[in-house]
Amino acid sequence: MYNFEFAKPATITDAVKALAAEDAQALGGGQTLLPTMKQRLASPATLVSLNAIPEMIGVCVNDKGEVCIGGATTHATVAQEARAHYPGLAALASQIGDPAVRNRGTIGGSLANNDPSACYPAAALGSGALIKTNSRDIAADAYFQGMFATALAPGEIITEVRFPVPQKSNYQKFVQPASRFALVGVFVAKYADGVRVAVTGASTDGVFRWAEAEAALSADFAKGAIDALSPPKGDMIADLHGSADYRAHLVKVMTGRAVAAAG
Amino acid sequence: MPKDHGIGASSKRREDIRFLTGRGAYTDDLAMQGQVHAVMVRANVAHGRIVSIDTSAAAAMPGVLAIFTGADFADVGGNPAGWLIHSRDGSPMREPKRPVLAHGKVRHVGDAYAAVVAETHEQARDAAEAVAAGTEIEELPAIVDMAGAVANADNRVHDEIPDNLCFDWGWIEANRDAVDAAMKAAPHVTTLELVNNRLVPNAMEPRASIGEFNPGTGDYKLTTTSQNPHLTKLLVCAFVLGIPEHKLTVVAPDVGGGFGSKIYHYGEEALVLAAAKKLGRPVRWTAERSESFLTDAHGRDHVTTIEVGATLDGEILAIRTNTLANVGAYLSNFSTATPTFLHGTLMAGPYKVPHVYVNLKAVFTNTAPVDAYRGAGRPEATYSLERAIDKMARELKLDPVAVRRKNLLTPDQFPYTTPVGLVYDVGNYQATLDKALDMADLAGFEARAAKSRAAGKLRGVGLSTWIEACGIAPSHLVGQLGSRVGLYDAATVRVSATGTIQVMTGAHSHGQGHETVFAQVVAEKLSIPEGAVEIVHGDTSKIPFGMGSYGSRSLAVCGSAMDRALDKIIAKGKKIAAHMLEAAEGDITFENGSFSVAGTDKAKSFGEIAFSAYVPHNYPLETLEPGLEETAFYDPNNFTYPAGAYLCEVEIDPDTGKVTICSFTCADDFGNVMNPMVVEGQVHGGVAQGIGQALVEHTAYDENGQLLTASYMDYTMPRADDVPFYQVDHSCATPCTHNPLGVKGCGEAGAIGSPPAVVNAVIDALHRAGMTHVTHIDMPLTPARVWGAMQA
Ligand SMILES: Cc1cc2nc3c(=O)[nH]c(=O)nc-3n(C[C@H](O)[C@H](O)[C@H](O)COP(=O)(O)OP(=O)(O)OC[C@H]3O[C@@H](n4cnc5c(N)ncnc54)[C@H](O)[C@@H]3O)c2cc1C
């Protein structure tokens, strides 16, 4: 690790100000950023912690019935506090990493990082969530822009994420054996106006929606509805842990399981 | 009632009090007055010629005290290989020098070619980056694939070794023709090509070393993460740095696991000593986890073709193997013994096989050195054999249990001389097989399989009947086999005036529980409380000599030395008692902790004798010396041969290829058991590592020699939810015939016997489900591989 300055603002306004400094970077739970810094692969001049900004922490339900999660809310808090309102989302949060990771890692950090194998992107895209930043609102469909790429501008921070609550939902995660991130993760959500299916871990383009499955499941929300589909096309990740064919196959298997589990 | 004390009791591990409460003292925990920090500068290419190293920028950086490069060690010795192997043509193996720091060429990613010492770790790291930036390395094509390494004579890991071949070994060469003939004549020959996957040892504690030098006395001290401090001392003094042996103390304090990787001497140990001498200050180095991945000696990495010739009813007639074994870029200390004498000699397994021949070529590649890792050679032999026998049974449509039963040696056949150079002293392989089948309820398998089917899962069962040779010693045998050192061990028993005892052991405990178990043996023998016994290990200034802990040798070899030393203590005690009781020495008996005159009620307790030994008033000094301390060196006349039967039941999820281990049953024969709980723990750990190898652990280099699995993000360790609750038994014991405790060694068994049981179970499940085209899947059997095999 190289030396760095540390700022711990108490308001979003102060955080944005601090992030305007040269080579300043936001710090959420540090579960991705700190290991990178330890390996000297990142060297921010200033870390701006978002963990002491009360308006960015917590889970609530707004007038529209959306679950609103502060950008610096930990996975553990979401797993606990969103359970009554959006069980599918809470269950996803409860499967991220291990207890230590869940007690520090944040939803904002996860979505900002947009690791192609991360879990939250599947929930956000699969729910059609709204990503609120210090300067604007971004629809999930416009937010994810490929592996580790998002619509965020430099210095922009995710302050809140709003999830419309589906009638039924489920996340199925097939773990990469070493990291236990998602080798393939599928989030299925059934809304009154249709079904969304978001896939993480599989594609070289990062999280994506599987349109054919959405159409089939919107017509008939049953496991068998996707039987006739061939696995999604597109560039699947091929690595030590699985070939492209294997990942494509798993997308279908996990989608089926998610539908069955959603009930 | 199970015993609660002494031999056979499950005494709680006393060392766990400090380990589990954070009071252990590992090398990196020890802060030294005036200490400074070393950071190694490591190659980021697998193969390259060092064109130039400009250290001037680094030298001018804050806090930098010294910079070393390969040139600084060009005139000192190399780190030698401990075993000399001869090729089939009689020529000695090729032994390239393994320098403290790479010089001229770098030969694997992570190969250290320079080191920086600075006041703080961060300063040393900054300067190490500057050294790397100032270094020009001309990258050469990496030699990664073994077959390619041997075929491509133009590209050499070591310029002086033309075909990258360390040796081409035949075992036993005289068997070769007879084996070929038997194979030709065999009614059935099963052939199987398999890979024994390379493993990264992953001790919980990374390697660390602290060098100290006292300019006032000329004394050196090395504190280091070693399983084998005396050997490290010998290598540093006699081969590498030439320090007079009486001027170096090596201490291996609490060591957090090794699994073999800490047997060996590594360059960093010499570096911190040389730096301490130069600077007159303690110099410390601790590996980062990434350095452990890149530079700890890896394990396994064989590519084997095995052929089994058999009759149509499954009697084994001949076994022949051809193996390429990766030794990596340099020869680590045991790297030439592991694939040969710890592997080829086991290729008859627990079976009566008339003809066996092993050919093994050891190959240099631009990868980390490969050496002994828990089991060391024996898992490779067992895996080849147990996989091939299973395949043979399947091809002949025979029951794999029956085939093994048909070929297993029977108790009346011991001592049994194998065609590959060993004499098994004793065993009862039918007993452990029966026990395992019974414990695992093999009879109930079909019902369980039907249940699995109903849940959409494929169930299978796999067996492995294994044997190994351990208690690594017999100096006369290992000498014949090429070892450059004898492999005895030593112990000193020191009785204090108040009757408490310290035992200094050459064996080193780095997780095994010696401090508890050795004390139990002493307590039993002297009828004193275990709490009155302290085991001292890991400090060459306190211990006479020792060859360390590996090869499941601690109790069998060092424990036996301790037993001998205790015999001497008792003999001396009798002398003292005879004097005190005014009786003839021959009339004194020692029983229940008391020395008495036979046939009388005259007696002295052990404590009284101890006290008298140190406060003598009227000893006849010509015949009776004061003091009560004895040392024994013990060298057994054979290996010990633990054996057992392992049964694994798995379920496969056909949609994903994921294998779940439903049950794992071990019936082992370890001879006499000193502490059943500790033995069970050793088996649990060993089997977990075996399951790790079979299902998840994968070490992958890309074609450029970059380690793809260089962190836990990609290298999978078995975790608690990957392993089942084991069923472990060691009641079918046939005590070792040649050591005084009758013990055989249990440290490696689990890792040796388990991988083939797991793989056999997976193949069985697929066959039962009709996928008979899948005759083999190489480890690790990850979901992707199993699913891939199912699609083929
Ligand atoms: C052992 C381990 C296992 C894991 N397993 C999983 C898993 O199974 N599934 C999974 O999805 N993830 C997993 N993770 C990742 C974990 O969820 C991280 O918490 C997450 O990726 C990053 O969140 P963070 O709050 O720690 O962000 P940090 O590491 O602090 O930051 C990550 C990046 O996001 C930026 N950032 C942080 N907060 C914000 C914000 N509010 N607005 C804008 N930018 C921000 C930072 O500047 C940085 O670039 C694992 C991590 C570890 C260490």
Side-chain angles (χ1 to χ4, degrees):
Chain A
M1 202 176 269
Y2 297 105
N3 285 341
F4 57 88
E5 298 298 321
F6 187 69
K8 201 167 187 177
T11 65
I12 295 173
T13 315
D14 285 350
V16 171
K17 236 183 258 164
L19 281 167
E22 201 175 331
D23 283 337
Q25 194 172 355
L27 175 72
Q31 296 304 293
T32 296
L33 186 50
L34 293 185
T36 320
M37 289 171 64
K38 279 191 190 170
Q39 289 184 295
R40 295 190 156 196
L41 297 173
S43 52
T46 306
L47 279 187
V48 180
S49 167
L50 306 177
N51 296 308
I53 304 175
E55 52 190 312
M56 278 180 64
I57 298 169
V59 177
C60 65
V61 180
N62 68 9
D63 302 345
K64 289 201 262 171
E66 294 166 332
V67 171
C68 307
I69 301 175
T73 309
T74 64
H75 311 330
T77 301
V78 174
Q80 194 62 37
E81 295 182 11
R83 198 184 299 157
H85 316 298
Y86 192 168
L89 177 66
L92 172 142
S94 75
Q95 294 172 54
I96 296 175
D98 51 43
V101 169
R102 292 195 289 275
N103 282 328
R104 301 230 47 114
T106 66
I107 189 168
S110 179
L111 293 176
N113 195 47
N114 193 20
D115 187 304
S117 305
C119 301
Y120 264 133
L125 189 61
S127 307
L130 190 69
I131 289 141
K132 295 177 79 70
T133 75
N134 56 297
S135 56
R136 57 187 168 142
D137 294 351
I138 312 171
D141 283 311
Y143 176 83
F144 298 103
Q145 303 191 345
M147 279 196 185
F148 299 106
T150 69
L152 291 178
E156 187 172 4
I157 49 184
I158 299 174
T159 53
E160 187 183 318
V161 187
R162 289 196 180 168
F163 292 87
V165 179
Q167 297 162 341
K168 291 174 176 181
S169 68
N170 186 261
Y171 178 62
Q172 289 289 318
K173 177 183 184 185
F174 192 79
V175 298
Q176 192 260 54
S179 70
R180 296 202 175 180
F181 275 66
L183 186 73
V184 167
V186 178
F187 193 91
V188 171
K190 179 180 187 300
Y191 289 90
D193 58 353
V195 174
R196 291 174 75 104
V197 177
V199 179
T200 189
S203 169
T204 55
D205 293 332
V207 66
F208 72 95
R209 286 172 65 186
W210 184 14
E212 291 84 352
E214 290 186 349
L217 290 167
S218 295
D220 174 18
F221 193 73
K223 187 169 183 278
I226 61 162
D227 279 353
L229 298 184
S230 44
K233 292 176 232 6
D235 282 341
M236 294 289 151
I237 299 172
D239 62 13
L240 276 179
H241 306 288
S243 63
D245 284 350
Y246 181 56
R247 279 191 167 81
H249 165 78
L250 281 181
V251 172
K252 188 172 165 183
V253 172
M254 292 300 130
T255 303
R257 288 184 183 180
V259 172
Chain B
M1 264 289 281
K3 287 183 72 173
D4 64 356
H5 189 261
I7 287 178
S10 284
S11 301
K12 293 258 162 52
R13 289 167 35 115
R14 55 172 72 174
E15 42 272 80
D16 286 345
I17 294 170
R18 68 177 193 277
F19 293 156
L20 299 181
T21 59
R23 288 173 176 82
Y26 298 87
T27 298
D28 193 62
D29 294 329
L30 307 172
M32 306 288 170
Q33 193 68 36
Q35 67 187 12
V36 295
H37 300 261
V39 166
M40 313 303 288
V41 190
R42 300 187 183 279
N44 57 12
V45 298
H47 193 194
R49 207 167 293 287
I50 301 172
V51 178
S52 61
I53 304 177
D54 179 358
T55 59
S56 55
M61 289 173 74
V64 173
L65 299 168
I67 298 173
F68 297 86
T69 67
D72 294 303
F73 296 94
D75 298 330
V76 304
N79 184 5
W83 290 58
L84 172 65
I85 303 299
H86 286 87
S87 284
R88 291 167 49 205
D89 64 7
S91 60
M93 68 186 191
R94 275 84 159 256
E95 278 183 90
K97 180 176 176 183
R98 185 180 187 192
V100 175
L101 292 173
H103 191 42
K105 269 175 92 171
V106 291
R107 295 185 175 85
H108 66 93
V109 172
D111 201 4
Y113 59 87
V116 177
V117 184
E119 294 284 352
T120 71
H121 177 73
E122 290 299 317
Q123 287 170 337
R125 236 185 127 170
D126 289 344
E129 280 182 7
V131 172
T135 300
E136 191 190 332
I137 294 181
E138 175 204 342
E139 191 171 353
L140 302 169
I143 301 159
V144 181
D145 165 62
M146 284 194 278
V150 180
N152 182 358
D154 299 334
N155 196 12
R156 301 170 180 184
V157 177
H158 295 276
D159 295 351
E160 69 277 19
I161 299 176
D163 46 11
N164 296 308
L165 200 61
C166 179
F167 54 76
D168 173 3
W169 182 73
W171 190 252
I172 292 176
E173 197 56 22
N175 292 354
R176 187 185 176 97
D177 292 343
V179 171
D180 289 350
M183 200 64 79
K184 221 174 195 168
H188 181 85
V189 176
T190 290
T191 305
L192 179 59
E193 282 174 40
L194 42 81
V195 174
N196 204 287
N197 43 329
R198 180 187 276 244
L199 303 173
V200 178
N202 282 305
M204 210 184 280
E205 179 203 23
R207 289 192 292 116
S209 303
I210 306 171
E212 293 172 82
F213 178 73
N214 181 339
T217 60
D219 289 336
Y220 290 84
K221 183 173 175 187
L222 174 66
T223 306
T224 191
T225 49
S226 177
Q227 302 176 222
N228 201 354
H230 280 91
L231 188 80
T232 295
K233 180 181 170 187
L234 183 65
L235 292 172
V236 167
C237 293
F239 293 90
V240 183
L241 294 181
I243 297 171
E245 231 186 307
H246 62 293
K247 287 298 194 187
L248 173 64
T249 296
V250 177
V251 176
D254 283 333
V255 174
F259 312 114
S261 68
K262 294 172 181 167
I263 302 173
Y264 328 114
H265 166 53
Y266 290 87
E268 292 89 353
E269 293 171 327
L271 186 277
V272 295
L273 285 170
K277 166 92 189 293
K278 178 164 179 171
L279 299 171
R281 295 171 69 178
V283 177
R284 63 186 308 134
W285 168 81
T286 300
E288 297 191 351
R289 184 55 68 180
S290 336
E291 291 182 283
S292 306
F293 271 99
L294 293 174
T295 68
D296 287 0
H298 292 176
R300 319 277 193 257
D301 206 347
H302 286 196
V303 177
T304 294
T305 302
I306 177 169
E307 295 154 285
V308 177
T311 63
L312 296 180
D313 60 356
E315 184 185 338
I316 304 170
L317 302 173
I319 292 166
R320 183 166 60 198
T321 66
N322 279 287
T323 293
L324 291 178
N326 204 335
V327 289
Y330 301 100
L331 295 182
S332 174
N333 299 141
F334 279 5
S335 60
T336 53
T338 302
T340 54
F341 293 109
L342 296 175
H343 167 248
T345 52
L346 270 302
M347 207 50 89
Y351 307 111
K352 191 167 168 57
V353 188
H355 299 288
V356 183
Y357 175 75
V358 172
N359 177 240
L360 184 135
K361 296 182 178 70
V363 183
F364 290 106
T365 58
N366 293 121
T367 62
V370 180
D371 206 327
Y373 167 79
R374 199 171 194 169
R378 291 149 291 168
E380 293 89 315
T382 305
Y383 183 67
S384 298
L385 204 51
E386 290 304 298
R387 279 292 300 122
I389 288 176
D390 235 57
K391 183 163 184 264
M392 180 259 275
R394 223 170 273 293
E395 286 170 356
L396 294 173
K397 306 210 168 359
L398 299 169
D399 170 19
V401 177
V403 166
R404 286 180 174 83
R405 230 185 257 290
K406 186 176 198 74
N407 291 285
L408 285 175
L409 289 162
T410 52
D412 55 304
Q413 289 168 325
F414 297 98
Y416 173 76
T417 304
T418 74
V420 273
L422 296 179
V423 181
Y424 300 164
D425 61 340
V426 67
N428 186 346
Y429 308 146
Q430 285 75 16
T432 44
L433 176 57
D434 289 339
K435 186 82 194 175
L437 297 178
D438 183 46
M439 284 164 67
D441 181 27
L442 192 62
F445 176 82
E446 291 301 341
R448 293 191 294 277
K451 246 191 191 160
S452 298
R453 253 191 317 276
K457 301 283 169 59
L458 320 179
R459 201 177 187 101
V461 60
L463 172 65
S464 144
T465 43
W466 63 273
I467 184 175
E468 64 139 330
C470 68
I472 301 241
S475 298
H476 72 97
L477 258 179
V478 299
Q480 284 168 25
L481 299 180
S483 179
R484 287 168 163 156
V485 292
L487 289 175
Y488 53 86
D489 221 288
T492 295
V493 177
R494 178 179 297 159
V495 183
S496 72
T498 52
T500 63
I501 290 180
Q502 277 184 310
V503 185
M504 278 58 79
T505 64
H508 181 272
S509 187
H510 34 277
Q512 295 89 339
H514 295 176
E515 292 166 31
T516 302
V517 177
F518 280 50
Q520 288 178 256
V521 175
V522 177
E524 178 83 24
K525 189 123 179 172
L526 299 180
S527 301
I528 57 172
E530 286 173 23
V533 185
E534 193 71 23
I535 306 300
V536 179
H537 60 94
D539 184 337
T540 62
S541 68
K542 295 180 180 161
I543 294 150
F545 203 78
M547 282 291 172
S549 286
Y550 46 86
S552 305
R553 69 192 301 276
S554 298
L555 195 60
V557 187
C558 188
S560 296
M562 180 178 77
D563 188 78
R564 289 276 170 88
L566 288 168
D567 284 340
K568 293 187 188 179
I569 291 284
I570 292 168
K572 175 84 181 279
K574 285 182 179 172
K575 260 186 155 171
I576 297 172
H579 168 69
M580 290 173 75
L581 298 168
E582 295 176 340
E585 201 183 316
D587 290 341
I588 305 290
T589 58
F590 179 66
E591 240 173 280
N592 298 326
S594 166
F595 293 89
S596 51
V597 184
T600 74
D601 60 357
K602 290 208 295 184
K604 291 281 175 194
S605 69
F606 183 78
E608 288 174 293
I609 296 294
F611 194 66
S612 157
Y614 288 96
V615 293
H617 294 117
N618 56 353
Y619 275 17
L621 295 173
E622 304 78 43
T623 54
L624 185 60
E625 291 173 22
L628 196 50
E629 170 168 333
E630 298 288 353
T631 295
F633 284 66
Y634 178 80
D635 195 346
N637 61 29
N638 198 350
F639 296 106
T640 70
Y641 300 97
Y646 287 0
L647 218 65
C648 175
E649 239 173 85
V650 300
E651 242 180 22
I652 303 172
D653 176 347
D655 291 337
T656 64
K658 184 170 168 49
V659 175
T660 303
I661 299 196
C662 310
S663 68
F664 202 102
T665 306
C666 309
D668 293 306
D669 174 2
F670 297 131
N672 292 336
V673 167
M674 303 291 112
N675 181 321
M677 179 193 71
V678 166
V679 166
E680 206 168 307
Q682 288 290 310
V683 175
H684 285 196
V687 174
Q689 274 172 297
I691 290 173
Q693 171 167 33
L695 292 187
V696 299
E697 293 191 48
H698 182 43
T699 309
Y701 284 93
D702 71 9
E703 69 277 9
N704 299 316
Q706 294 292 337
L707 183 59
L708 297 175
T709 50
S711 83
Y712 295 125
M713 292 302 281
D714 287 300
Y715 189 93
T716 314
M717 293 295 286
R719 297 180 222 196
D721 60 355
D722 291 318
V723 300
F725 284 94
Y726 308 105
Q727 280 190 282
V728 175
D729 176 88
H730 38 72
S731 65
C732 304
T734 60
C736 171
T737 57
H738 58 78
N739 66 43
L741 298 170
V743 296
K744 292 184 174 176
C746 65
E748 297 161 292
I752 292 169
S754 57
V758 176
V759 178
N760 288 344
V762 171
I763 302 295
D764 183 61
L766 297 177
H767 276 247
R768 285 173 192 270
M771 282 170 266
T772 50
H773 63 283
V774 186
T775 55
H776 181 67
I777 308 173
D778 273 325
M779 301 187 290
L781 273 58
T782 60
R785 281 192 178 179
V786 174
W787 183 82
M790 291 168 64
Q791 310 313 307

